[in-house]
Amino acid sequence: MSFIDSVMAGLSLVSSVEAFLALFVGICIGVVGGAIPGLSATMAVALTLPFTFSMQPITGILLLLGVYKGGIFGGSIPAILIKTPGTPASSATILDGFPLAEKGEAGRALGMALWASCTADLVSNLALIFFAGFLASFALQFGPPEFFALILFSLTIIAGVSGDSLLRGAIAALLGLLLATVGLDLVYGTNRFTFEDPNLMGGLNFIAVLIGLFALPEIIAMAWNPVAHLGQTRSLGKSKVTITDYKRSFKSIVRGSLIGVFLGSIPGIGAAPSAFLSYSEARRKSPNKDNFGNGEIEGVAASEAGNNGVAGATLIPLLALGIPGDVITAIIIGAFMVHGLQPGPMMFVLNVDIVYGLFIGLIVSSVFLFLVGSVAIKGFKFVADVPKRILMPAVLVLCIYGVFAVNNNIFDVGVMFAMGWVGYVMMRMRVPAAPFLIAFILGPLLEDNFRQAMLMSGSDPMILIRGPITWFFWTLTVIALVAITRTVVKGTVTAGN
Amino acid sequence: MKDSPIQESKIGENTLDEYENQTESVSASWLRLVGLALIMVLTMFALPRLGMVWTSMIVFIATALLFKTRHPIVAVVCAVIIPLLLYAFFAHVAGIAIPQGNFVRLP
């Protein structure tokens, strides 16, 4: 199929009112969800997921992508107005956004956040469209040993970069891998950790685990301290963002978008590190570097470009390789699977219409984000007034319905509750949940590819280093391990001094 | 009754550490955690017997009370409406067989 044919097939799939409506509604849900502190973009995507089961695949996935994009922007609104990031990715926005709000220029900061977000979003989507197909055609040559090496590399990165402690990240990833082994073994059908319970034979339900891990800990945290969320909202002020502001920050926005695209396309890094890197680069290069941290509009632009630049790029490894770039794309992988689609290079052969449909939808999403964002900035006051102690019970009820709806199984609700407590304990002990979830998803893929490779070679491990592609990923894994270890050792030495 | 924004701000800046210094509050926090765990265990027990809609209504009210909501009437109204709306969506739009329980069945 030629490029034009593929675009046309995609266009025919998305050119329906439902598809665009889903995208629009998704962005609205995302912006509101991201804007409510304690209800992160991840949670918003996880809670929307059960509603997509009855939809057409493209409509459902566009809805979730809308929530994702909206959520990442939405998080910046409370970051600027109440100094609480709505979503972890917006933490860098606080650095200059809140000082601006204190000066009475919150409207200007939010306007710049929106403009920078939409620009970065567009750059990121274009990067996705250009690179995903290219990477997928390359990945078509991958066999089980190559995928094994690639997934191993992704796991190294994920365990190494998420959170402030390597040990905690690695523990989280190992726990995720361990939990992924529950159920019947993929090749011989041996029972593993099933305790003779038929409910466990299919393994733990992925959606129950993820909703338990990402939505319930917030609810449990509220039981611990029901008043932690209360804060004071700053007014928007009269000043607005101007074209001059945008022009002045344009370099930082483009740099931030590119940093976002680069870090987003490496599985596991995610939006928050990208926002911080983009911010520090902008500070280093800016003529007003002394003003950074005291309310510099360029700082807001750089952080927001950094975190939104990730949103399209994380879909590159997702669509081309079937490997989630961050937690939210891990949830979106769940949506693909529920609809019987397996993201990865074969999707560009078998479901090329859906891939191009998504691309078209994503381009439109930047425009929708701009429209919805402009309204949301003004309407945040109402969102901030939603009583959290009524919202959280509502989220709990929504979780119960949503998780049950996956398999019509009450057992899954129990799994969700149990995972909620696991997630809460992890939160209290500062063990990051993201490596846990991504390892839980990649675990079966890692095992499946390893065992297929062993079957192919008659259990000869040399097959795992059979050609240049595997050598490439093994080298990357070693480099990543060395780099991460060096950072940790340096950190320990510095702390020791 | 709603507190003024300034009072809210004071409470909001109360970090977990400060909060933990108050021994009484910490034991209350532990009690609330146990309460929430109990709600979850009872939910598992009630779901097949009472049905999802009625269980959810009770869970909603119990959790809102556990969190000491300042708007009990709104909580009760939401506790009735939200499970019904979710039931309407999942049972009639998505076609999922939501557990109905042994007592009152919904259309």
Side-chain angles (χ1 to χ4, degrees), chain B residues 57-102:
Chain B
M57 288 181 184
I58 299 168
V59 167
F60 197 118
I61 296 173
T63 335
L65 290 180
L66 189 77
F67 295 161
K68 298 191 287 188
T69 175
R70 287 178 303 189
H71 314 277
I73 297 167
V74 183
V76 172
V77 173
C78 289
V80 174
I81 294 175
I82 291 174
L84 282 176
L85 282 179
L86 287 172
Y87 170 77
F89 176 82
F90 281 110
H92 295 289
V93 180
I96 287 157
I98 296 289
Q100 289 272 16
N102 305 329

Side-chain angles (χ1 to χ4, degrees), chain A residues 7-29 55-67 125 353-354 356-369 371-372:
Chain A
V7 173
M8 285 302 164
L11 205 57
S12 70
L13 202 63
V14 284
S15 54
S16 65
V17 180
E18 294 98 72
F20 285 108
L21 194 67
L23 189 62
F24 188 78
V25 171
I27 291 178
C28 295
I29 297 174
M55 294 178 181
Q56 292 289 322
I58 184 89
T59 319
I61 295 164
L62 280 177
L63 178 74
L64 292 176
L65 289 177
V67 179
N125 289 337
D353 51 345
I354 291 189
Y356 278 85
L358 287 179
F359 288 169
I360 296 165
L362 284 172
I363 293 285
V364 179
S365 75
S366 306
V367 181
F368 282 173
L369 179 62
L371 298 176
V372 176

Side-chain angles (χ1 to χ4, degrees), chain A residues 298-347:
Chain A
E298 202 177 336
V300 175
S303 346
E304 278 302 300
N307 68 31
N308 274 74
V310 168
T314 45
L315 297 173
I316 299 176
L318 174 85
L319 289 175
L321 307 170
I323 289 181
D326 63 0
V327 181
I328 302 186
T329 40
I331 304 172
I332 295 175
I333 256 196
F336 277 96
M337 288 172 176
V338 166
H339 288 291
L341 299 166
Q342 177 67 47
M346 285 311 284
M347 213 175 139

Side-chain angles (χ1 to χ4, degrees), chain B residues 6-106:
Chain B
I6 296 164
Q7 274 175 315
E8 283 192 354
S9 169
K10 276 184 187 158
I11 305 169
E13 283 161 11
N14 212 354
T15 59
L16 204 64
D17 293 339
E18 279 177 57
Y19 200 74
E20 276 176 318
N21 288 336
Q22 305 159 11
T23 344
E24 197 188 307
S25 304
V26 172
S27 60
S29 297
W30 280 110
L31 269 181
R32 274 195 300 274
L33 279 192
V34 173
L36 190 61
L38 210 65
I39 290 176
M40 289 183 182
V41 172
L42 291 177
T43 307
M44 291 308 294
F45 181 76
L47 273 178
R49 293 170 180 83
L50 280 182
M52 191 168 267
V53 178
W54 309 115
T55 311
S56 303
M57 288 181 184
I58 299 168
V59 167
F60 197 118
I61 296 173
T63 335
L65 290 180
L66 189 77
F67 295 161
K68 298 191 287 188
T69 175
R70 287 178 303 189
H71 314 277
I73 297 167
V74 183
V76 172
V77 173
C78 289
V80 174
I81 294 175
I82 291 174
L84 282 176
L85 282 179
L86 287 172
Y87 170 77
F89 176 82
F90 281 110
H92 295 289
V93 180
I96 287 157
I98 296 289
Q100 289 272 16
N102 305 329
F103 304 102
V104 187
R105 297 181 72 83
L106 289 168

Side-chain angles (χ1 to χ4, degrees), chain A residues 363-432:
Chain A
I363 293 285
V364 179
S365 75
S366 306
V367 181
F368 282 173
L369 179 62
F370 189 76
L371 298 176
V372 176
S374 316
V375 179
I377 291 174
K378 296 191 186 87
F380 175 71
K381 211 187 156 307
F382 305 105
V383 177
D385 282 345
V386 173
K388 280 281 294 292
R389 286 176 269 180
I390 291 183
L391 184 73
M392 283 302 172
V395 169
L396 181 62
V397 168
L398 187 57
C399 292
I400 297 176
Y401 274 84
V403 167
F404 175 81
V406 184
N407 280 335
N408 290 9
N409 190 351
I410 293 180
F411 180 80
D412 287 346
V413 179
V415 171
M416 172 187 76
F417 284 155
M419 288 312 298
W421 289 95
V422 172
Y424 180 66
V425 172
M426 284 168 64
M427 195 166 97
R428 288 291 295 264
M429 301 181 76
R430 291 184 293 119
V431 175

